[in-house]
Amino acid sequence: EDTFGSTVVIGVSLETDKGSIVTADNIGIIDRITTQIAKLDTVKSVDSLTSIDYIYGKDNALVAGNLIGVDRGEDGLYPRLTDEQVEKVKENISSWSDMYSRVVISDDGRAVQMQITLKSDNHPDPKAKKESDEVVRQRALDQIREITNKETKDSGLTVIYYGDPVLTEASKSFMLSDLESLIPLVVLVVLLTLFFSFKTLDGT
């Protein structure tokens, strides 16, 4: 982390069952999610369909622009794309498929993913109250879920979350669930074993 920065990543996958996910509506959803998540104080960067660079040639030079190919509005979001602009986005993706395929979009074009890198140092102020990394990452995951669920509501998109913070949360949940079932069972087995050994309630 000292050399390359944070290695803590939360992934968000959006998938549609209605053909290509590259539509005007879906690009708008992806852009709103990306923009809001990027503003969180625990987030370092967001790589998604609407934030990844698009390299192209212009005047005998290489230029790093945006994959969407239009300028953002005053609100910081892309305007709703026309059908022609959506087709241009698809052309940009296919023109450099090695860069984008399986990075921000699936091979069949039905799913996109966002890679959200969290900050490695969430306590830059030495006087501020320090929280554990687990608490900070869980808060970031909860905020990302809230934003994504709000923007994808009634959109028909399937959302999947992944990454170390998601695995940590799931492991904790599974562990508590297992203990709730396991402890009563263990107590019962021990009591039965003692009862069959001593044959009396007093001995048990």
Side-chain angles (χ1 to χ4, degrees):
E1 290 191 344
D2 291 341
T3 304
F4 295 103
S6 176
T7 59
V8 182
V9 174
I10 295 176
V12 180
S13 170
L14 306 178
E15 184 175 2
T16 180
D17 58 0
K18 299 177 182 178
S20 174
I21 196 168
V22 184
T23 65
D25 288 337
N26 291 337
I27 289 174
I29 291 172
I30 295 165
D31 190 37
R32 290 194 297 274
I33 294 173
T34 301
T35 303
Q36 292 178 62
I37 291 176
K39 294 178 181 178
L40 297 178
D41 58 358
T42 53
V43 172
K44 179 182 179 183
S45 63
V46 183
D47 290 326
S48 76
L49 189 71
T50 60
S51 66
I52 197 168
D53 287 339
Y54 176 65
I55 310 299
Y56 61 95
K58 182 179 180 181
D59 299 330
N60 297 320
L62 291 176
V63 180
N66 66 73
L67 183 64
I68 305 304
V70 298
D71 294 328
R72 293 184 177 275
E74 294 182 358
D75 57 359
L77 299 172
Y78 289 118
R80 179 179 173 81
L81 302 186
T82 64
D83 291 342
E84 292 78 11
Q85 289 170 330
V86 171
E87 289 303 314
K88 181 61 178 176
V89 173
K90 292 180 180 179
E91 290 177 13
N92 291 344
I93 293 172
S94 61
S95 69
W96 201 1
S97 60
D98 289 345
M99 174 67 176
Y100 305 118
S101 183
R102 301 188 186 184
V103 176
V104 293
I105 191 165
S106 62
D107 287 341
D108 60 7
R110 295 162 62 98
V112 294
Q113 72 172 355
M114 304 177 190
Q115 179 172 288
I116 302 156
T117 304
L118 303 186
K119 293 177 181 176
S120 56
D121 181 12
N122 292 287
H123 307 98
D125 184 358
K127 296 180 180 178
K129 180 181 178 182
K130 291 193 174 184
E131 299 174 294
S132 69
D133 288 341
E134 183 179 345
V135 169
V136 172
R137 293 168 186 176
Q138 184 63 51
R139 185 172 70 249
L141 178 58
D142 292 340
Q143 292 172 327
I144 290 168
R145 275 206 186 103
E146 182 180 358
I147 291 169
T148 305
N149 291 341
K150 180 185 70 174
E151 294 298 339
T152 57
K153 185 179 180 181
D154 300 326
S155 66
L157 296 175
T158 301
V159 184
I160 298 174
Y161 303 91
Y162 50 92
D164 285 346
V166 180
L167 292 174
T168 300
E169 179 191 57
S171 299
K172 186 176 180 180
S173 176
F174 292 150
M175 188 182 301
L176 292 173
S177 177
D178 288 346
L179 288 175
E180 287 177 357
S181 305
L182 189 61
I183 290 177
L185 180 62
V186 169
V187 170
L188 179 62
V189 170
V190 170
L191 288 176
L192 288 174
T193 302
L194 291 172
F195 180 76
F196 288 131
S197 298
F198 293 104
K199 310 294 185 185
T200 65
L201 291 177
D202 290 341
T204 301

